[in-house]
Amino acid sequence: MTTATPLLEVEGLRKRYPGRGGVLAVDDVSFTVAAGETFGLVGESGCGKSTVARCVLHLIRPTAGRVRFDGKEIFSLPPREMRALRREMQIIFQDPYSSLDPRMTVRATLLEPLEIHRIGSRREREERVRELLEQVGLPESALGKYPHEFSGGQRQRIGIARALALSPRLIVADEPVSALDVSIRAQILNLMRDLQERYGLAYLFIAHDLTLVRHFCHRVAVMYRGQIVELAETEALFTRPLHPYTQALLEAIPRPDPDLRLEGPAVVGEATDAGEWPCRFVPRCPVAEARCRQEAPTLRELRPGHWVRCHRAELFLAGEPS
């Protein structure tokens, strides 16, 4: 799902944190998100997903690279214009317990962004707050209550209402259901999908649960140690993954029928055991060759809309390597 002019464009993003030698958390990450699209970003913990999200929202400044929102280069905007642009880009946090101020009622929580950005009159703000509660399926009686009086799912609904308050076009959802009970997750995802259809929202959906990603995202990018190693439309990636790491992630999904398991090559070792190889996946890759230890692979398009960072990805186009 793409458009001629994407809503969000990320190009060559890099982020190195200070320290002895520095920590390169994100390296050469590029992708686009269209209006109304859900773009998934998946990978192991520590692979750089949340760092990408913080750079996209300009909560931290990258070491290199560009982020454009609706054609505007966000890192070159003056403070006043960036403040105005923040109304268009909001976030749903992972933890519904720590992301809400325990000293603020629901009314105060939802009024705060409206007051900061001077949206409407006092009466219009109060009407907007009641409207937000209705949109996320909470009763008006919730307005005077504090976060501790709600369940985890209800708190996340409040977090979603806060993200919607300024009528954004892009919402970064950073593991929005990982802290919730399994029985509640589907309700929250269905709510997010309904809101997307109603308002044309675009989501940058960060997750590690591939089952959720398959049912919720239009396109998916798989990250490994700060880089995107595969990017494709969701069904294409799940039915014919072209990178050994993606295959390993899909193999890890529990299946009730063992006959449905992929028959990809086995990945060995841990993510932390990688040395300074040109290809970061070399120490764990079952099909690595000499070239992989000498030349860094680039992200290239092997099929329409299907991008892979692997020298040997062609092996998986027609079938598994012998």
Side-chain angles (χ1 to χ4, degrees):
M1 179 177 179
T2 57
T3 61
T5 305
L7 180 64
L8 176 70
E9 301 170 83
V10 178
E11 181 182 336
L13 195 68
R14 285 183 172 86
K15 176 60 181 178
R16 183 181 294 275
Y17 288 103
R20 180 176 294 179
V23 177
L24 190 59
V26 174
D27 184 19
D28 192 25
V29 166
S30 300
F31 61 88
T32 63
V33 182
E37 178 184 22
T38 302
F39 184 87
L41 202 58
V42 303
E44 297 170 304
S45 296
C47 70
K49 305 185 300 293
S50 293
T51 298
V52 170
R54 288 176 172 83
C55 289
V56 165
L57 294 171
H58 204 177
L59 298 178
I60 59 176
R61 194 172 186 90
T63 305
R66 306 172 69 181
V67 175
R68 288 184 291 272
F69 183 85
D70 198 19
K72 299 178 181 177
E73 177 73 48
I74 69 170
F75 300 122
S76 62
L77 290 177
R80 179 175 295 183
E81 291 186 32
M82 188 62 224
R83 186 171 182 269
L85 187 63
R86 290 195 183 281
R87 294 172 54 177
E88 308 282 345
M89 308 162 66
Q90 293 294 310
I91 185 170
I92 301 170
F93 294 98
Q94 175 179 356
D95 188 354
Y97 297 90
S98 62
S99 62
L100 299 175
D101 190 331
R103 300 166 298 179
M104 296 174 66
T105 63
V106 172
R107 173 185 277 109
T109 297
L110 299 183
L111 278 174
E112 185 177 45
L114 300 173
E115 292 171 344
I116 289 174
H117 289 271
R118 301 178 182 178
I119 306 297
S121 63
R122 178 177 297 181
R123 180 177 179 180
E124 289 171 335
R125 292 171 190 165
E126 292 288 348
E127 291 177 354
R128 176 60 174 160
V129 166
R130 289 191 290 271
E131 179 184 88
L132 289 168
L133 281 186
E134 181 181 355
Q135 289 173 355
V136 299
L138 291 175
E140 189 173 338
S141 59
L143 285 173
K145 296 182 179 180
Y146 291 87
H148 73 270
E149 300 179 73
F150 298 95
S151 67
Q154 290 172 325
R155 293 188 195 192
Q156 197 61 297
R157 289 175 185 268
I158 296 168
I160 293 172
R162 179 176 58 185
L164 290 174
L166 299 174
S167 302
R169 288 188 288 167
L170 172 71
I171 292 181
V172 174
D174 190 357
E175 304 268 14
V177 296
S178 64
L180 304 178
D181 292 341
V182 174
S183 60
I184 304 298
R185 293 181 182 182
Q187 297 178 23
I188 298 300
L189 291 176
N190 287 336
L191 171 62
M192 292 176 62
R193 181 170 289 161
D194 291 343
L195 293 169
Q196 182 179 50
E197 293 175 356
R198 190 184 310 176
Y199 300 112
L201 296 170
Y203 290 126
L204 175 56
F205 189 80
I206 297 171
H208 63 269
D209 189 329
L210 291 174
T211 303
L212 292 180
V213 168
R214 183 169 194 173
H215 293 288
F216 193 68
C217 298
H218 298 104
R219 290 187 300 137
V220 180
V222 178
M223 289 191 67
Y224 182 78
R225 297 190 69 219
Q227 294 183 326
I228 290 177
V229 296
E230 189 161 2
L231 189 161
E233 291 187 1
T234 303
E235 281 308 304
L237 185 135
F238 276 79
T239 56
R240 179 56 71 185
L242 300 181
H243 195 284
Y245 177 65
T246 307
Q247 294 173 0
L249 290 180
L250 298 183
E251 280 280 2
I253 299 175
R255 292 172 172 82
D257 184 351
D259 294 334
L260 296 179
R261 288 177 58 85
L262 295 174
E263 296 297 333
V267 170
V268 298
E270 301 290 338
T272 54
D273 68 5
E276 295 302 320
W277 300 101
C279 173
R280 300 183 178 190
F281 195 59
V282 160
R284 305 177 70 188
C285 184
V287 296
E289 58 184 8
R291 181 185 178 191
C292 304
R293 295 173 173 84
Q294 299 166 359
E295 179 184 341
T298 58
L299 193 65
R300 53 201 175 100
E301 190 174 24
L302 288 188
R303 296 186 301 189
H306 198 146
W307 299 74
V308 189
R309 189 187 299 270
C310 178
H311 290 310
R312 308 202 69 194
E314 286 87 354
L315 290 170
F316 304 102
L317 281 172
E320 305 299 335
S322 58

